[in-house]
Amino acid sequence: MEIKIQDIDHIREAAREFIEHIGEHRVFAFYGKMGAGKTTFVKAICEELGVDDVITSPTFAIINEYSLTSLPSPLTSQLSPLTSKIFHFDFYRIKKLEEVYDMGYEDYFYSGALCFIEWPELIEEILPDDAVRVSITEQTDGSRLVSF
């Protein structure tokens, strides 16, 4: 599947289209170069799902936890029985895989909550087998192509 994000003004539309294709999947690994728009796209997805928290890059915290609002929407209704949490990871600063073991990654990846992972290349060997690989690439015209 491919979704084109023409520009930042159309990112929420692309996020809604992505959400429509989540299905039963819960772990999403976002691949892309620095500046490709991984964090911006995850932020748009979270906003479309009803996250009221401030959504920022977890570069220094490694993981951010967001709460879904209790208001049902057409987009969140298909995610049931989803927990009320979204976990957003950024493994860019990971130096050793042991750091991820120490943080108890299994508790997050296998919780049933949505997990959005940036820089999964650094933890590839412990990604769940059913993790959806999402690639974001910048096109020559400045648009972004999201492939999964």
Side-chain angles (χ1 to χ4, degrees), residues 6-148:
Q6 191 60 43
D7 54 42
I8 195 70
D9 293 332
H10 295 94
I11 197 164
R12 298 284 292 260
E13 294 168 21
R16 283 190 295 274
E17 187 175 346
F18 182 84
I19 291 165
E20 290 171 4
H21 292 91
I22 284 178
E24 298 295 317
H25 299 284
R26 293 294 175 259
V27 179
F28 297 85
F30 288 84
Y31 296 84
K33 293 181 180 179
M34 183 76 72
K38 297 179 297 292
T39 301
T40 304
F41 191 56
V42 169
K43 180 179 188 285
I45 294 167
C46 290
E47 289 170 347
E48 287 300 312
L49 287 171
V51 171
D52 287 331
D53 303 326
V54 175
I55 302 163
T56 60
S57 173
T59 300
F60 295 100
I62 300 177
I63 180 171
N64 287 345
E65 180 179 321
Y66 309 122
S67 297
L68 291 173
T69 61
S70 59
L71 299 174
S73 77
L75 294 174
T76 57
S77 64
Q78 70 176 345
L79 297 176
S80 296
L82 176 69
T83 65
S84 61
K85 302 289 180 193
I86 294 175
F87 298 111
H88 181 193
F89 300 85
D90 185 332
F91 290 120
Y92 182 75
R93 295 178 31 149
I94 292 295
K95 303 288 186 238
K96 299 182 296 186
L97 198 55
E98 288 77 25
E99 294 174 61
V100 183
Y101 288 122
D102 291 344
M103 68 180 281
Y105 77 93
E106 299 103 331
D107 293 339
Y108 300 104
F109 290 2
Y110 299 101
S111 68
L114 285 173
C115 294
F116 299 129
I117 303 166
E118 296 184 44
W119 300 103
E121 300 89 336
L122 303 173
I123 62 149
E124 194 75 40
E125 64 192 71
I126 61 171
L127 281 176
D129 292 337
D130 62 348
V132 176
R133 274 109 174 123
V134 181
S135 174
I136 301 178
T137 53
E138 184 175 7
Q139 306 300 292
T140 55
D141 64 358
S143 65
R144 303 300 198 267
L145 188 63
V146 179
S147 306
F148 54 100

